[in-house]
Amino acid sequence: EGGRELVELKVIWNKNKYDVKFCLDSTGAELKQKIHSLTGLPPAMQKVMFKGLLPEEKTLREIKVTNGAKIMVVGSTINDVLAVNTPKEAAQQEVKAEENKKEPLCRQKQHRKVLDKGKPDDVMPSVKGVQERLPTVPLSGMYNKSGGKVRLTFKLEQDQLWIGTKERTEKLPMGSIKNVVSEPIEGHEDYHMMAFQLGPTEASYYWVYWVPTQYVDAIKDTVLGKWQYF
């Protein structure tokens, strides 16, 4: 490096440390080439940090690199990328599953099929911002997962929930329902979509759409056995 002023650097990459003497009047781009020769990491895949991202066009002198400066390098070699590709894809699928959970239920494909039919004509009126006791008549005019009409009858004296469709009525003991989940329907926040968990997994959820919001808390409390006094 022919008599030019040198600076001693500590280059840190992937838990490896390299002591490097380098010319102060060399540019960030030239330092990346040097790092490539040390680590096998192509310049295009390097993120080089010194008080922020190292500018490629400026010299080390211009960015005030001094003796003993630590240069942090982030990046993976081609081989590393290939080696982790398969687990990475699995991880991406997990992230996607997490995102699906975070995505509002009413935007998920399985629910859109029903919600895109629009609000049923004979759905019960909703009252926003109010909690009401369960009505003495069945809750009717709602859809189930297959888009068929469904009504809910709360037989409190028998401790049962009756889920009725055109074809049949399921009589479920309240104690057999593991959980109740609900979420407002986007654009129609005065109605909820609601699921009754009938078994150990999410596959056992029985979905009901267009539940008037004023009854949501009373349904949860009645089914899960938490009494509220209004």
Side-chain angles (χ1 to χ4, degrees), residues 110-149:
Q110 55 165 331
H111 302 305
R112 283 260 47 107
K113 281 191 301 195
V114 182
L115 294 172
D116 285 347
K117 289 172 64 135
K119 192 158 70 170
D121 299 333
D122 55 347
V123 73
M124 296 175 86
S126 68
V127 186
K128 236 179 176 174
V130 175
Q131 287 183 355
E132 290 188 10
R133 286 171 178 270
L134 289 173
T136 48
V137 296
L139 286 176
S140 60
M142 299 166 295
Y143 289 137
N144 63 13
K145 199 172 177 176
S146 56
K149 280 295 176 65

Side-chain angles (χ1 to χ4, degrees), residues 56-215:
E56 289 197 2
E57 68 289 351
K58 291 194 171 176
T59 66
L60 303 195
R61 192 187 295 278
E62 285 175 307
I63 58 171
K64 300 186 169 48
V65 174
T66 54
N67 262 333
K70 283 184 183 170
I71 306 288
M72 304 293 294
V73 182
V74 180
S76 303
T77 65
I78 299 287
N79 288 344
D80 291 339
V81 171
L82 293 175
V84 299
N85 224 12
T86 321
K88 197 173 175 185
E89 281 165 20
Q92 280 168 346
Q93 281 169 356
E94 275 175 37
V95 166
K96 208 166 186 184
E98 279 302 312
E99 279 169 1
N100 276 346
K101 283 182 196 168
K102 287 177 207 153
E103 183 182 35
L105 292 168
C106 56
R107 286 194 206 154
Q108 291 176 21
K109 202 166 158 190
Q110 55 165 331
H111 302 305
R112 283 260 47 107
K113 281 191 301 195
V114 182
L115 294 172
D116 285 347
K117 289 172 64 135
K119 192 158 70 170
D121 299 333
D122 55 347
V123 73
M124 296 175 86
S126 68
V127 186
K128 236 179 176 174
V130 175
Q131 287 183 355
E132 290 188 10
R133 286 171 178 270
L134 289 173
T136 48
V137 296
L139 286 176
S140 60
M142 299 166 295
Y143 289 137
N144 63 13
K145 199 172 177 176
S146 56
K149 280 295 176 65
V150 64
R151 68 186 172 278
L152 301 176
T153 311
F154 295 88
K155 294 283 186 183
L156 300 184
E157 65 286 355
Q158 292 158 359
D159 203 27
Q160 288 181 345
L161 166 61
W162 292 10
I163 299 178
T165 60
K166 204 163 65 176
E167 296 76 33
R168 66 173 191 270
T169 298
E170 296 273 355
K171 299 180 179 181
L172 302 169
M174 300 278 194
S176 70
I177 299 169
K178 311 253 183 304
N179 197 12
V180 182
V181 295
S182 75
E183 187 179 281
I185 295 169
E186 264 186 346
H188 300 274
E189 280 76 10
D190 47 341
Y191 287 93
H192 280 230
M193 45 192 286
M194 179 174 270
F196 300 98
Q197 186 179 345
L198 308 181
T201 66
E202 285 191 20
S204 67
Y205 281 16
Y206 188 98
W207 285 98
V208 178
Y209 303 85
W210 303 100
V211 178
T213 186
Q214 69 268 29
Y215 300 129

